[in-house]
Amino acid sequence: MLGPLALFAAAMCLTPGPNVIMVTASAANFGFRRTIPQMLGITFGFGLMILAMGFGLAGMVHAEPRLLLRQCGQLMAFPEILHGQESNPVDPTIWHVSA
């Protein structure tokens, strides 16, 4: 069981994937200091993903895939719901189409 995990971790760490390109572009545009949070997010996110798989999240997703998809969808929609409650209502006169 450790073999596939080690192979996956090695492939993700040793290949110059989209994260390396994104961090390089961010560092070139905004500087190294402003790119540090992005690098930390990628590092901790990868570790969290490996930890979740170690605790059996893969088995749960395999057994009940709709559960995780529904929960992720709700988490992604939550900030939008909060933002929508704070914003001003849309002025209906801007949607008037003259004939």
Side-chain angles (χ1 to χ4, degrees), residues 3-81:
L5 175 65
L7 184 63
F8 176 72
M12 291 294 112
C13 292
L14 300 176
T15 58
N19 290 332
V20 174
I21 296 169
M22 186 172 54
V23 168
T24 304
S26 178
N29 289 326
F30 304 112
F32 178 74
R33 295 187 86 194
R34 290 181 63 190
T35 306
I36 291 174
Q38 184 180 20
M39 291 187 292
L40 291 174
I42 292 169
T43 302
F44 288 125
F46 180 71
L48 184 65
M49 182 176 63
I50 296 297
L51 187 68
M53 293 302 127
F55 280 123
L57 185 65
M60 185 182 81
V61 171
H62 186 65
E64 193 64 46
R66 289 186 181 184
L67 176 69
L68 182 67
L69 291 173
R70 183 173 56 226
Q71 297 300 323
C72 288
Q74 290 172 350
L75 285 175
M76 289 173 58
F78 188 69
E80 296 296 327
I81 293 169

